[in-house]
Amino acid sequence: MGNLVELERQLIENRSMKTYEETGLYEEAVDGLFDEKNPDCILSLIKGFKDETENHEVMFSNLHGIEYFSKTIGLEKYIKMIIPLLKGLQVDAYDWSETIYLRLLNNEKSFSLLSESLRTFDSQDKEVIKLITENLIKRNPERFKEKGEIILSAL
């Protein structure tokens, strides 16, 4: 497969998945980077997200691989690991950062743990959480206002 640096490069270079070949290379990189025994692979896999991709379904497989660790390392540790990584997605993959965050909000246990752990995040992480939360409330207040206000008040 290749070493970590090569696989990360391959993942990033092919995340647009404009061709069948790029899609195959992206999937190959995800498979090479995913290590079910090492949650640190999340740090590499997170770099594979891009809003301007041709193949959201394949990109969701990356997300599912990352979310696998919420079960193996525990939800609390997963949240503390994933939230700081959202700031790295703000330029090329804002929509994916929102999707990752939404999946935490929509699960009662992760929402509760997220709410409890907000004070432990640094100011940059809190700003990203605030931005995403405010955008979700604006876009769909009926669905997100209640949970969003809980999050914003805890920041």
Side-chain angles (χ1 to χ4, degrees), residues 10-154:
Q10 181 175 325
L11 184 74
I12 293 166
E13 287 178 359
N14 294 287
R15 61 190 180 163
S16 293
M17 293 187 261
K18 291 182 180 179
T19 66
Y20 182 76
E21 182 183 9
E22 283 182 1
T23 302
L25 289 168
Y26 181 90
E27 290 178 308
E28 182 182 288
V30 169
D31 290 345
L33 290 167
F34 180 78
D35 178 354
E36 67 182 35
K37 293 179 177 49
N38 184 4
D40 288 338
C41 73
I42 293 171
L43 304 173
S44 296
L45 292 169
I46 202 83
K47 297 172 185 175
F49 291 104
K50 183 176 182 179
D51 291 337
E52 302 296 319
T53 187
E54 298 292 318
N55 199 326
H56 285 86
E57 292 155 12
V58 172
M59 205 158 276
F60 261 106
S61 69
N62 185 10
L63 177 59
H64 294 148
I66 290 170
E67 288 178 333
Y68 166 85
F69 291 103
S70 68
K71 294 170 185 64
T72 62
I73 64 173
L75 196 49
E76 186 173 0
K77 189 172 180 181
Y78 171 78
I79 289 169
K80 289 184 179 188
M81 188 174 195
I82 202 71
I83 290 294
L85 298 176
L86 297 181
K87 64 182 163 265
L89 299 176
Q90 297 307 294
V91 175
D92 289 334
Y94 173 81
D95 291 346
W96 284 101
S97 72
E98 199 173 85
T99 298
I100 293 166
Y101 181 72
L102 264 173
R103 291 166 75 91
L104 293 173
L105 285 186
N106 288 334
N107 175 289
E108 287 306 316
K109 187 173 181 182
S110 64
F111 172 72
S112 176
L113 288 170
L114 175 64
S115 301
E116 292 168 13
S117 65
L118 284 173
R119 68 187 180 293
T120 66
F121 295 109
D122 71 24
S123 59
Q124 285 182 319
D125 297 333
K126 289 178 182 177
E127 276 303 309
V128 170
I129 292 168
K130 181 180 177 196
L131 171 73
I132 296 172
T133 303
E134 288 173 344
N135 286 339
L136 290 172
I137 293 170
K138 278 184 210 163
R139 197 170 62 239
N140 193 339
E142 299 81 32
R143 187 165 176 209
F144 298 113
K145 187 171 182 173
E146 185 180 329
K147 284 184 176 180
E149 287 180 350
I150 291 168
I151 296 291
L152 294 173
S153 67

